[in-house]
């Protein structure tokens, strides 16, 4: 640089701190000055509501994956369910679910796993109630009084 250019550079400061309009106001960052906070606050509230709404609806749909749906009542009406030879808890649960005895196959499997006597269910047809608690349905299958027996005589 020449001497003239260097003098001009030093003589004309790039920013004059005393007259600079870009200085922040008390305690506020420079990028906040002059902005209106209303639209930003509305946008933030809308985002929070949107995320909350999606979370609430999503939880409603996903809760069955984390809980076991089961009827709470003692049941009503009557249904006939067949327990076949070699049937597992899953196949018995499917038969009960198809007849609307239990609300889910998983509920019956959980009840069967919790009751060691569940391995004693015998082959045959059983009379049970519709829309009953899975543990109660298991108890009805374990009670031979609910087994339908047909006697053939000649």
């Amino acid at each position: 640089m020449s001497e003239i250019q260097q003098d001009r550079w030093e003589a004309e400061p790039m920013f004059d701190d005393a007259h600079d309009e870009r200085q922040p106001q008390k305690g506020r960052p420079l990028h906040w000055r002059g902005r209106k906070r209303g639209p930003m606050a509305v946008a933030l509230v809308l985002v929070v509501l949107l995320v909350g709404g999606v979370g609430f609806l999503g939880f409603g749909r996903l809760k069955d994956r984390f809980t076991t749906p089961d009827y709470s009542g003692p049941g009503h009406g009557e249904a006939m369910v067949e327990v076949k030879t070699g049937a597992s808890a899953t196949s018995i649960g499917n038969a009960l679910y198809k007849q609307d005895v239990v609300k889910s196959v998983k509920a019956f499997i959980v009840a069967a796993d919790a009751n060691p006597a569940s391995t004693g269910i015998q082959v045959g047809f059983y009379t049970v109630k519709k829309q009953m608690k899975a543990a109660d349905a298991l108890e009805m299958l374990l009670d031979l009084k609910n087994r339908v027996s047909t006697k053939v005589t000649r």
Side-chain angles (χ1 to χ4, degrees), residues 23-95:
Q23 292 297 316
Q25 295 174 350
K26 297 179 182 179
R28 291 188 182 156
L30 182 62
H31 64 279
W32 281 16
R33 187 172 164 232
R35 288 196 179 172
K36 295 184 180 181
R37 291 179 197 93
M40 190 181 299
V42 169
L44 180 64
V45 168
L46 288 175
V47 167
V48 168
L49 289 174
L50 180 68
V51 169
V54 168
F56 179 74
L57 293 175
F59 177 74
R61 292 178 185 240
L62 290 176
K63 72 179 179 181
D64 286 345
R65 291 182 184 239
F66 302 109
T67 61
T68 305
D70 196 3
Y71 290 122
S72 60
H76 60 81
E78 202 172 89
M80 183 74 66
V81 177
E82 180 183 9
V83 175
K84 296 180 180 180
T85 305
S88 65
T90 303
S91 62
I92 295 170
N94 280 322

Side-chain angles (χ1 to χ4, degrees), residues 31-152:
H31 64 279
W32 281 16
R33 187 172 164 232
R35 288 196 179 172
K36 295 184 180 181
R37 291 179 197 93
M40 190 181 299
V42 169
L44 180 64
V45 168
L46 288 175
V47 167
V48 168
L49 289 174
L50 180 68
V51 169
V54 168
F56 179 74
L57 293 175
F59 177 74
R61 292 178 185 240
L62 290 176
K63 72 179 179 181
D64 286 345
R65 291 182 184 239
F66 302 109
T67 61
T68 305
D70 196 3
Y71 290 122
S72 60
H76 60 81
E78 202 172 89
M80 183 74 66
V81 177
E82 180 183 9
V83 175
K84 296 180 180 180
T85 305
S88 65
T90 303
S91 62
I92 295 170
N94 280 322
L96 293 169
Y97 177 75
K98 286 177 184 174
Q99 295 290 329
D100 195 28
V101 175
V102 294
K103 193 168 187 177
S104 69
V105 176
K106 184 178 178 183
F108 183 77
I109 292 170
V110 169
D113 287 345
N115 188 342
S118 65
T119 57
I121 297 175
Q122 296 185 16
V123 175
F125 287 89
Y126 292 84
T127 303
V128 292
K129 297 179 183 178
K130 290 188 174 205
Q131 296 185 354
M132 58 188 310
K133 195 171 185 175
D136 295 343
L138 176 63
E139 290 299 323
M140 287 189 82
L141 294 177
L142 290 170
D143 187 358
L144 293 178
K145 292 178 188 173
N146 297 312
R147 192 168 130 191
V148 178
S149 60
T150 55
K151 293 183 181 180
V152 179

